[in-house]
């Protein structure tokens, strides 16, 4: 009986949400006595007009701004080390992560490394490394510019080993942002293919969180509402973006990240190796794999899929209808149905299956997933 046990639930930080809220950033810095921000972003976002406007606004108001954006789209340990060197050399006093999941993960890992200088992967949560996160960390602010990972409200960073490509999780409640400035206007100029891929990432987070085997009814409710918002907004945000659709997607993205503290599952374990081995965009990897992963999970969890189908307002309230919806949604977004269309070949399958089985996400899947299951799913999706 779930009610015979004691459970702990955690929810995230202060979120300032709404069109134009980024204008509050300078006043927030001043009120907290912060003058020397390190802005961590990625090479693309750092060239965009809204980013230049943020930097210019801060400098006009007297802040000493340094930008670090030399990171990979699937971040690795060396990115974090380079960013920490910039922190040291430039004598910064606050980290502001601006961007999507990669930028925010690197920013969060830099926040950890500033006062924790042993090998970064000593702090890997999968080996209990969170117990070593004992020192104070710098002030940390997040500004999301995509609606996918929801990293802005998270307390973990996923960083890959440069050589083995295995993903590690750096986790601690100390790594949560002090405040999030979630401004949908910063997502308005995202190209359609990025909007689609990141949106499917948010949908995957919400669906997998709802199905995850851990007990967390608050996260279940958040996940279902996140699915509902995405159903209403993703296609519009991709093809005919407006402030309402972008706002719904940004909120749904944060909801997915809040919900997946309950756990993720088979889809993420299928997707992570594609990113680390083949440098596939994480959202795209999730998008292609989600119909196959959801189909794998139906048997034994029909009631859960009935609830998802109901939220999606499908005519048939069952798992097969959910899977069909996912294929149709991918088609409407211009996302392919097969792995071969995103660069995966038969020669990759065995290595992908090994990495997927070693991945951290699937132990929370509602049913066990073996290495042979992963291989079969990859082959089916190929």
């Amino acid at each position: 009986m779930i009610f015979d046990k004691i459970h702990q639930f955690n929810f995230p930080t202060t979120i300032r949400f709404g069109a134009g809220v980024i204008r509050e950033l300078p006043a927030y810095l001043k009120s907290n006595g912060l003058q020397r921000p390190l802005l961590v972003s990625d090479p693309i976002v750092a060239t965009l007009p809204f980013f230049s406007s943020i930097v210019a606004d801060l400098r006009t108001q007297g802040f000493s701004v340094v930008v670090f954006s030399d990171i990979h789209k699937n971040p690795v340990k060396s990115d974090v080390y380079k960013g920490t060197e910039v922190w040291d050399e430039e004598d910064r006093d606050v980290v502001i992560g601006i961007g999507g999941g990669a930028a925010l993960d690197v920013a969060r890992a830099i926040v950890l490394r500033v006062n924790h200088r042993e090998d970064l992967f000593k702090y890997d949560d999968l080996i209990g490394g969170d117990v070593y996160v004992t020192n104070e960390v710098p002030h940390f602010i997040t500004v999301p510019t995509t609606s996918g990972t929801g990293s802005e409200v998270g307390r973990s960073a996923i960083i890959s080993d440069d050589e083995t490509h295995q993903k590690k999780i750096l986790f601690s409640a100390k790594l949560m942002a002090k405040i999030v400035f979630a401004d949908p206007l910063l997502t308005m100029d995202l190209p359609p293919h990025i909007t689609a891929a990141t949106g499917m990432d948010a949908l995957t987070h919400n669906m997998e969180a709802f199905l995850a085997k851990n007990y967390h009814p608050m996260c279940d409710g958040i996940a279902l509402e996140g699915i509902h918002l995405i159903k209403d907004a993703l296609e519009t945000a991709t093809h005919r973006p407006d402030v309402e659709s972008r706002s719904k997607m940004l909120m749904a993205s944060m909801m997915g990240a809040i919900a997946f503290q309950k756990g993720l599952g088979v889809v993420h374990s299928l997707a992570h190796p594609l990113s680390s081995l083949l440098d596939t965009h994480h959202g795209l990897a999730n998008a292609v794999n989600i119909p196959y992963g959801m189909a794998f999970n139906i048997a034994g969890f029909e009631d859960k899929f009935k609830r998802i189908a109901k939220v999606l307002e499908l005519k048939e309230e069952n798992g097969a209808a959910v899977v069909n919806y996912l294929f149709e949604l991918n088609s409407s977004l211009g996302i392919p149905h097969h792995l071969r269309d995103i660069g995966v070949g038969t020669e990759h399958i065995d290595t992908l299956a090994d990495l997927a089985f070693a991945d951290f996400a699937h132990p929370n899947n509602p049913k066990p997933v073996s290495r042979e299951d992963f291989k079969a799913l990859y082959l089916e999706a190929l």
Side-chain angles (χ1 to χ4, degrees):
M1 288 287 292
I2 55 176
F3 301 111
D4 293 338
K5 299 177 182 178
I6 294 174
H7 304 272
Q8 177 171 310
F9 305 119
N10 299 289
F11 279 79
T13 187
T14 300
I15 300 168
R16 296 290 294 165
F17 179 88
V21 76
I22 190 61
R23 293 192 293 268
E24 296 181 359
L25 176 60
Y28 175 84
L29 292 173
K30 287 179 181 177
S31 68
N32 284 274
L34 302 167
Q35 290 292 325
R36 303 184 306 281
L38 174 65
L39 274 56
V40 179
S41 193
D42 65 58
I44 295 176
V45 169
T47 66
L48 297 179
F50 76 76
F51 187 90
S52 299
S53 294
I54 292 171
V55 173
D57 188 32
L58 289 171
R59 286 178 173 158
T60 298
Q61 298 195 46
F63 295 95
S64 167
V65 180
V66 171
V67 175
F68 172 70
S69 61
D70 185 13
I71 70 172
H72 294 79
K73 67 179 181 180
N74 290 297
V76 293
K77 182 200 284 189
S78 58
D79 298 337
V80 180
Y81 281 35
K82 285 185 291 186
T84 310
E85 289 175 6
V86 174
W87 169 277
D88 292 342
E89 292 167 1
E90 300 289 344
D91 187 28
R92 302 290 89 193
D93 63 2
V94 56
V95 175
I96 306 176
I98 304 178
L104 300 186
D105 277 358
V106 172
R108 182 171 280 111
I110 292 170
V111 167
L112 168 64
R113 183 156 176 77
V114 164
N115 291 321
H116 298 81
R117 293 302 177 99
E118 298 193 61
D119 185 277
L120 186 66
F121 293 153
K122 176 179 179 177
Y123 308 102
D124 180 6
D125 183 57
L126 298 178
I127 58 173
D130 59 308
V131 301
Y132 301 113
V133 184
T134 55
N135 299 327
E136 293 304 308
V137 300
H139 203 106
F140 182 39
I141 299 165
T142 54
V143 181
T145 63
T146 63
S147 301
T149 66
S151 295
E152 58 272 15
V153 296
R155 65 200 78 191
S156 63
I158 299 177
I159 305 293
S160 293
D161 186 288
D162 289 71
E163 303 300 328
T164 68
H165 307 295
Q166 188 173 10
K167 291 181 179 288
K168 312 286 187 178
I169 302 180
L170 310 173
F171 172 88
S172 172
K174 291 186 175 186
L175 302 182
M176 185 174 288
K178 296 287 188 184
I179 191 169
V180 180
F181 292 97
D183 190 336
L185 295 182
L186 302 185
T187 72
M188 287 297 295
D189 294 328
L190 285 174
H193 72 283
I194 296 296
T195 302
T198 54
M200 289 301 294
D201 189 24
L203 182 59
T204 306
H205 291 158
N206 281 288
M207 281 194 174
E208 288 213 293
F210 179 67
L211 293 169
K213 66 183 182 182
N214 297 319
Y215 176 71
H216 203 317
M218 289 185 283
C219 284
D220 287 347
I222 290 171
L224 288 173
E225 179 62 16
I227 292 168
H228 179 73
L229 288 173
I230 293 167
K231 173 195 74 71
D232 283 348
L234 179 53
E235 290 180 83
T236 301
T238 300
H239 300 302
R240 303 174 303 280
D242 54 25
V243 175
E244 180 180 353
S245 63
R246 293 293 193 180
S247 297
K248 286 182 176 180
M249 288 306 304
L250 186 56
M251 180 59 71
S253 173
M254 290 189 290
M255 292 171 77
I258 292 167
F260 78 60
Q261 64 178 280
K262 181 189 171 196
L264 290 167
V266 61
V267 179
H268 270 77
S269 287
L270 288 165
H272 285 150
L274 295 174
S275 300
S276 56
L277 184 67
L278 302 175
D279 209 27
T280 307
H281 183 280
H282 174 65
L284 178 61
N286 269 330
V288 176
N289 281 296
I290 188 173
Y292 304 96
M294 289 297 108
F296 175 84
N297 277 333
I298 293 172
F301 298 92
E302 289 85 357
D303 286 348
K304 286 265 192 176
F305 278 91
K306 181 177 180 179
R307 293 182 68 189
I308 293 174
K310 186 171 291 189
V311 167
L312 292 171
E313 299 177 348
L314 303 180
K315 290 181 179 179
E316 300 292 329
E317 294 182 352
N318 56 48
V322 172
V323 171
N324 186 59
Y325 167 84
L326 292 169
F327 277 122
E328 290 181 351
L329 180 59
N330 275 342
S331 293
S332 74
L333 299 174
I335 292 171
H337 290 190
H338 299 287
L339 293 174
R340 63 175 177 268
D341 296 321
I342 59 171
V344 180
T346 54
E347 69 276 15
H348 300 126
I349 297 299
D350 281 323
T351 302
L352 289 171
D354 288 338
L355 290 170
F357 187 63
D359 188 70
F360 59 84
H362 70 87
N364 286 318
N365 197 62
K367 63 174 66 174
V369 194
S370 68
R371 183 194 179 279
E372 289 308 305
D373 289 329
F374 280 115
K375 184 174 181 179
L377 285 166
Y378 280 129
L379 288 170
E380 183 183 1
L382 190 60

